[in-house]
Amino acid sequence: MRDAPPKNRPLDASTLAWLALLAFAVCVYAFGLDGQYVPSIGDELVYTHIARLTAASNHWLPLVSELDHMRNTKPPLLFWQAMVAGDWGQHWSMAALRTPSLIYTLLVAGAVAWTVQQLTRDLRTACLAACVYLAFFCTFRFGRTYLTSAPETFWLNLPMFWLLWQRLRSTPAAPTRPLGWLTHVAFGLALGLGLAYKSFALIAPAAATLWCAQLLTERTLNWRLVVQTTLKVSLSAAVALGIFALWFVLDPDPGAVWQEFVIGENAGKMSNSQGYWRLALLGGGGSVWVQLLAYAQNAGLLAFVVIGLAWVGLRTWAKRGAKAHLSPTLLILLIWLAVWLIVFTLPSQRSARYVVPAMPALAILLALYWDRIARGWFLLSLLLCGIFVGVLGRIAWAAHDVGIGTGLELGATLFVVVAGLLLVIGGSLRPAWTRAATVAACFAVYAGFGLTTAPLNGAAGHYEAQTIARIHEARVAVPSSFNGQFERFQFLLPGNQFVPYDGEGRAAHSASENAQALNGLLATHDAVVWLQSEPAEQGPPCAPGCTVLGMRWEVKGRHKSGEINLPNLWYPQTWLFRREWLVTLAHPPSGDAQR
């Protein structure tokens, strides 16, 4: 990494190819944004539920929820974003709610590309960096769904990007001056918006990273500079916490905010019934040792490439040791990664997704050291991509066999699958193609996933319009096995009241028990949404005493022990897809489902 970047390189075929791949990546991210099966975590529907009910109250605060102890789960800015994006319920769709996250993600990718462009004066490497960031599975999973990772990553990292750009302008002849007080006030505003999306606790890694990065990249250190920098970063932190504290001022029930968010949602993560040290050292997936692999885990299909980058760093340090000269840019990136990882090994509840805000730094490092990472690491990631794209192709074929999707949809999926396999083969056989083919294969996997689930976002995965018209303002029992999962029916059967019941628990019951349970639900509700419990089951177990108003296909998310095994792995139609029926009593009493 040079202090004086080279001149801009001319636009060549390789650069155009990376620009085309970046454009393809953006299309992959935008495709299926309204889908039911966009990679996410279940909490997305909890947030959607709270945002919808708060919008229905016609007030910004307090937050509203029908779920016990699931109201003040996140600061209000996340919900206000959804309320505005959904036009206060007038245009309530997952695409509308998710679009702001996608915009934030693309802005972060743009900041990554701009930083690398300033470092290298090479548009090709800049496009590579943006592609790598978008190829991370954590970005694909958390960067376009209605969650907090995309906006918090943007706002919390804005000061770090600004510091990087400021250090890049520094030269031995004209060193930059320390950042001023007004700049740190602006940093505080940006950090405050990040906290207002997620949690006040994030000020710890954000402020610590900013403080360390400024001090360790100064040309000379003295006590005066240390004190000034500490005071300036403290001012940024105070401004940020002040913005977060407005929640307590504006909310008519600040006591509930304290109990539910500060105590329940945050302080609870610092304690554990198993004992702190026992969990930290022997806690399996929650141990410190697993958390050390958080960046590789977040990278997903590029995990081996991240490990290869770490190996390059270890070898360089072993050769040069303390004599190794680290440029200010490299120091900032390493501090960025290290501080976030260290801070989030301390709580008793650990997760790789807590360090997602540091992934832009990892993307920049990967782009800068791309050609120094051994080819073998890329081959391992290529093999992983080949496995996943092949499995997706088989799932798409099996879905078509049971009647999900059209021939055109299957053809589009198989086209992407074949393209992905060709990338894997080409990258494996041609060393010059290996690195680029690895990134392209990642996007082939993501595109394959989107196309495989696309039929379930169409007619096969939705009730017909006439079915929806027959059920209006009805009390409908719906299966819900996780917090807020019943909220998905607001998009499938809008305009009704949904009462959740444990649909997954019925899978272990006998046919007679299921029939009795369904008849009980029909007797107390206007309609019931019932899930197929066995592949051979062709209808709900209430016939002939009920009427099936409609049927749709859904993907089974939870499986019984032994349900997926080696012999049936090639036949996902037996364990992955199932029918869902909307049923009513054949002869409902006085008030029917149309009231």
Side-chain angles (χ1 to χ4, degrees):
M1 196 179 305
R2 306 178 188 177
D3 291 330
K7 294 182 179 180
N8 290 321
R9 298 182 184 180
L11 199 65
D12 55 13
S14 176
T15 303
L16 291 174
W18 279 104
L19 279 169
L21 183 59
L22 181 57
F24 176 69
V26 173
C27 293
V28 168
Y29 266 66
F31 178 71
L33 200 62
D34 200 32
Q36 302 179 65
Y37 303 106
V38 171
S40 179
I41 60 174
D43 285 347
E44 182 181 31
L45 288 171
V46 173
Y47 303 155
T48 304
H49 171 79
I50 298 171
R52 179 179 60 84
L53 291 185
T54 305
S57 72
N58 291 318
H59 293 90
W60 295 101
L61 288 171
L63 301 177
V64 182
S65 174
E66 294 175 351
L67 298 167
D68 293 337
H69 310 296
M70 295 293 288
R71 181 165 65 99
N72 293 305
T73 57
K74 288 291 181 289
L77 191 56
L78 174 68
F79 305 106
W80 294 349
Q81 172 185 291
M83 291 157 61
V84 173
D87 194 16
W88 289 78
Q90 299 303 308
H91 300 93
W92 203 252
S93 68
M94 289 309 299
L97 302 187
R98 289 167 174 164
T99 296
S101 291
L102 177 58
I103 293 172
Y104 274 121
T105 294
L106 296 180
L107 287 173
V108 174
V112 167
W114 176 257
T115 301
V116 174
Q117 167 69 17
Q118 296 303 300
L119 275 166
T120 64
R121 302 299 184 195
D122 184 7
L123 181 59
R124 172 190 171 278
T125 309
C127 292
L128 162 64
C131 286
V132 167
Y133 179 70
L134 295 175
F136 290 150
F137 181 68
C138 68
T139 310
F140 188 66
R141 185 182 183 189
F142 302 122
R144 63 188 191 130
T145 50
Y146 175 47
L147 291 168
T148 54
S149 291
E152 87 191 30
T153 299
F154 176 81
W155 290 112
L156 294 179
N157 289 332
L158 206 55
M160 293 304 299
F161 280 118
W162 189 268
L163 179 63
L164 266 172
W165 300 334
Q166 192 250 11
R167 293 296 192 253
L168 284 173
R169 294 193 297 269
S170 176
T171 63
T176 55
R177 300 177 60 184
L179 297 173
W181 291 93
L182 286 179
T183 301
H184 281 82
V185 171
F187 285 173
L189 294 175
L191 294 175
L193 290 172
L195 303 188
Y197 269 108
K198 187 66 176 282
S199 171
F200 66 91
L202 292 183
I203 195 61
T209 303
L210 184 60
W211 182 79
C212 291
Q214 288 190 71
L215 285 179
L216 296 181
T217 55
E218 290 290 350
R219 294 184 181 277
T220 57
L221 268 183
N222 53 62
W223 283 109
R224 180 180 180 184
L225 183 61
V226 171
V227 171
Q228 282 187 347
T229 303
T230 302
L231 291 175
K232 290 174 182 177
V233 174
S234 298
L235 174 62
S236 298
V239 172
L241 291 172
I243 292 174
F244 180 87
L246 290 175
W247 186 9
F248 293 89
V249 176
L250 299 175
D251 199 297
D253 190 4
V257 175
W258 177 266
Q259 289 297 325
E260 296 172 21
F261 185 77
V262 177
I263 304 299
E265 190 76 9
N266 287 270
K269 294 181 180 179
M270 297 299 295
S271 60
N272 191 277
S273 58
Q274 299 180 35
Y276 179 84
W277 290 110
R278 179 180 178 84
L279 182 67
L281 301 178
L282 304 172
S287 68
V288 171
W289 318 116
V290 173
Q291 186 70 2
L292 292 177
L293 296 173
Y295 290 122
Q297 182 179 338
N298 283 338
L301 296 171
L302 293 180
F304 293 110
V305 180
V306 172
I307 296 173
L309 174 67
W311 181 248
V312 169
L314 288 174
R315 288 184 61 186
T316 302
W317 182 261
K319 288 180 180 179
R320 302 180 183 177
K323 297 180 181 179
H325 172 70
L326 299 180
S327 68
T329 301
L330 183 57
L331 264 176
I332 290 173
L333 295 173
L334 292 175
I335 290 167
W336 193 343
L337 291 166
V339 172
W340 277 86
L341 185 61
I342 291 170
V343 168
F344 282 107
T345 58
L346 299 179
S348 56
Q349 182 175 329
R350 302 173 185 87
S351 173
R353 63 189 174 95
Y354 294 156
V355 300
V356 165
M359 295 304 286
L362 183 60
I364 295 172
L365 273 177
L366 281 169
L368 295 175
Y369 287 85
W370 193 249
D371 293 328
R372 294 178 58 182
I373 302 171
R375 179 172 177 258
W377 299 108
F378 291 91
L379 290 174
L380 290 173
S381 285
L382 267 177
L383 176 61
L384 198 60
C385 290
I387 293 172
F388 273 92
V389 79
V391 169
L392 289 170
R394 175 55 190 162
I395 291 174
W397 191 283
H400 186 261
D401 277 349
V402 299
I404 300 175
T406 64
L408 181 61
E409 289 172 322
L410 174 62
T413 305
L414 294 181
F415 175 81
V416 170
V417 168
V418 171
L421 293 175
L422 289 175
L423 286 168
V424 172
I425 295 171
S428 301
L429 297 179
R430 295 288 298 270
W433 297 353
T434 302
R435 288 167 172 79
T438 301
V439 182
C442 289
F443 292 122
V445 173
Y446 297 157
F449 184 92
L451 290 168
T452 299
T453 57
L456 292 164
N457 298 326
H462 287 81
Y463 294 108
E464 295 180 353
Q466 55 266 37
T467 300
I468 298 174
R470 294 181 65 181
I471 298 292
H472 184 64
E473 296 185 356
R475 191 167 180 267
V476 184
V478 296
S480 182
S481 57
F482 190 71
N483 285 334
Q485 287 298 303
F486 61 87
E487 186 68 19
R488 69 186 187 275
F489 291 99
Q490 293 291 341
F491 306 100
L492 295 169
L493 294 168
N496 296 289
Q497 176 190 354
F498 301 107
V499 182
Y501 71 91
D502 184 10
E504 300 291 349
R506 297 296 174 189
H509 295 179
S510 65
S512 60
E513 290 174 325
N514 282 334
Q516 183 178 358
L518 177 53
N519 287 323
L521 290 171
L522 286 168
T524 54
H525 299 81
D526 299 316
V528 177
V529 173
W530 189 260
L531 295 171
Q532 181 182 19
S533 58
E534 297 291 340
E537 190 177 22
Q538 297 299 311
C542 57
C546 62
T547 299
V548 177
L549 299 180
M551 187 277 291
R552 74 179 190 100
W553 288 95
E554 77 136 24
V555 173
K556 190 174 183 181
R558 294 171 179 261
H559 299 89
K560 296 180 291 186
S561 177
E563 188 174 7
I564 306 175
N565 49 57
L566 191 59
N568 72 359
L569 194 61
W570 190 247
Y571 304 98
Q573 63 268 40
T574 64
W575 49 265
L576 185 59
F577 305 109
R578 62 181 172 186
R579 294 176 176 88
E580 178 186 282
W581 297 285
L582 177 64
V583 298
T584 62
L585 285 174
H587 302 288
S590 54
D592 64 13
Q594 300 198 31
R595 66 188 178 193

